[in-house]
Amino acid sequence: MTDRSADTALLDAARTLDAADPLAAHLDAFVEAPGVTAYLDGNSLGRPLRDVPEKLAAFVREDWGTRLIRSWDEQWMALPMELGDRIGAITLGAGPGQTVVSDSTSVLLYKLMRGALRQAQGPRGAAQGPAGRTELVIEEGNFPTDRFLAEGVAAEMGATLRWITPDPVHGVTVDDVAAVVSERTALVSLSHVDYRSGALADMPAITAVAHDAGALMLWDLCHSAGVVPMQLDDWGVDMAVGCTYKYLNGGPGSPAFAYLRHDLQGLLRQPIQGWWSAADIFAMGPEYVPADGIRQLLSGTPPVTSMLAMQSMIDLIEQSGIDGVRAKSESLTALAVRAYDELLAPLDVRLLSPRDPARRGGHITIGHPDFREVTRRLWADGVIPDFRFPDGIRLGLSPLSTSHAETVAGVLAVRDALESGVS
């Protein structure tokens, strides 16, 4: 008979942690998906909150349906900046007037990358740059969008890419960055949390290294915003971009946000000069004059409807406190690693994330050659992790919507699928 004492011990530990969890009451705030017993993909798409359907309906009935175009003057014109300020204050450690919600992550990364290179190179391009700053530093394993955009922007601007090759589990280090930056570096662009391993980069130290070299620093916060506390202002971060459909639960395709430090506004010119970033939106003048503040990062009409769902999650994070969210995140990932050690390591599953909770974000990754098929079977059985090529499963544990018991149930399901064999 198979000994399942480890299962019992893990489930008992999970129940004990859940009973003591100060954020446990928030689990009921989220919509339950029929037939799903463990949702472990909140780092890719967060669950909707229960109040979102009524908020969307009220928006159609009232703000849009009754106030019609008057709602632009009454509330929508300022929404990208007001919502940006809330995200900045509650999750980013950013003072007002530096964060704006608009566009997609890809578009905002393009705007800031290209603007940063243009600023470093001077108005006449790379050949005439004041300090010959023609290099953009990025990591080889960064998310494809970041790498593809960097390649495209470098080609447009006549810049050279310098690639960092970090440890695949522990991610980019201060020493990695220090080894490639120089007087030629215009911009360093990195992810705060590695989308594969979950490794957490040392944002303040790496930013300081970039600045010591005279370069600008751009951070991708897609896997850290809403789950990892940060202090962008205090750490001297120049620019940052993040999505809102992961830990901010804005729904599929919800708009991204961008942070641009006060003293760079007006100095760094973004390239998509749409009417919403003009100093006087309704002047309809013959030439483009950019707005003075953070609104200069906008381009076209903001996606107001897509900004609705995330507001409930931002409220919930504010109530919980980002430090409390982080504490539960560390507890969840620590339990997942313990479950891995006891249940999966004996089956030749590899841990592809840092063991130290302080060195990782809100997910862990495990690896096995059979995991593509295992994931397919798990999804069919109502256990939803995330597969990442070539053989990794990410366990994304969104703290406000995930319990410790759900976490253990997910790891048990992975073990059972492996032991039953993959056909």
Side-chain angles (χ1 to χ4, degrees), residues 112-113 116-117 135-137 185-189 215-218 239:
L112 291 177
M113 281 184 180
L117 279 177
E135 294 184 354
L136 193 166
V137 172
T185 308
L187 175 68
V188 179
S189 180
L216 292 171
M217 185 75 224
L218 170 60
M239 300 165 284

Side-chain angles (χ1 to χ4, degrees), residues 331-341 364 395 397 407 411:
S331 179
L332 289 169
T333 58
L335 182 62
V337 170
R338 174 184 166 183
Y340 156 81
D341 285 335
I364 70 163
L395 304 177
L397 309 171
T407 299
V411 179

Side-chain angles (χ1 to χ4, degrees), residues 134-386:
T134 61
E135 294 184 354
L136 193 166
V137 172
I138 194 165
E139 185 230 324
E140 284 185 344
N142 210 335
F143 192 76
T145 287
D146 301 66
R147 292 184 282 108
F148 298 163
L149 283 167
E151 290 173 349
V153 168
E156 285 182 11
M157 303 296 290
T160 300
L161 290 180
R162 292 291 306 277
W163 297 97
I164 295 173
T165 306
D167 181 278
V169 171
H170 298 286
V172 178
T173 67
V174 173
D175 290 342
D176 291 333
V177 177
V180 297
V181 295
S182 70
E183 70 281 354
R184 297 181 300 278
T185 308
L187 175 68
V188 179
S189 180
L190 299 172
S191 288
H192 189 204
V193 170
D194 189 296
Y195 83 100
R196 302 155 304 171
S197 71
L200 179 65
D202 189 340
M203 184 186 288
I206 290 175
T207 299
V209 167
H211 287 172
D212 288 345
L216 292 171
M217 185 75 224
L218 170 60
W219 286 101
D220 182 331
L221 309 180
C222 285
H223 279 278
S224 56
V227 72
V228 178
M230 58 194 92
Q231 296 295 326
L232 299 190
D233 288 354
D234 290 347
W235 295 344
V237 170
D238 301 307
M239 300 165 284
V241 172
C243 68
T244 63
Y245 45 79
K246 300 181 189 300
Y247 298 109
L248 297 182
N249 299 62
S254 58
F257 64 84
Y259 167 90
L260 182 63
R261 206 178 67 222
H262 271 305
D263 61 324
L264 289 173
Q265 295 174 20
L267 186 64
L268 186 150
R269 292 281 296 271
Q270 64 103 339
I272 307 178
Q273 299 180 166
W275 74 309
W276 268 78
S277 62
D280 187 342
I281 292 179
F282 294 105
M284 310 296 178
E287 61 182 19
Y288 175 78
V289 178
D292 291 332
I294 192 64
R295 187 164 58 81
Q296 66 193 245
L297 286 186
L298 300 179
S299 294
T301 305
V304 172
T305 307
S306 298
M307 295 185 195
L308 297 176
M310 75 180 78
Q311 296 180 48
S312 293
M313 189 62 175
I314 294 168
D315 291 341
L316 203 56
I317 295 173
E318 184 175 32
Q319 294 171 29
S320 305
I322 190 65
D323 290 331
V325 172
R326 174 60 172 167
K328 183 173 179 184
S329 175
E330 292 185 352
S331 179
L332 289 169
T333 58
L335 182 62
V337 170
R338 174 184 166 183
Y340 156 81
D341 285 335
E342 297 181 18
L343 304 176
L344 300 179
L347 301 177
D348 296 324
V349 176
R350 310 181 316 279
L351 180 64
L352 303 178
S353 296
R355 283 191 167 273
D356 181 357
R359 295 290 301 120
R360 60 178 180 250
H363 69 271
I364 70 163
T365 301
I366 50 181
H368 189 279
D370 293 335
F371 269 176
R372 182 187 291 274
E373 177 62 18
V374 163
T375 302
R376 185 190 66 79
R377 293 175 57 183
L378 290 172
W379 279 36
D381 293 338
V383 176
I384 316 294
D386 197 15

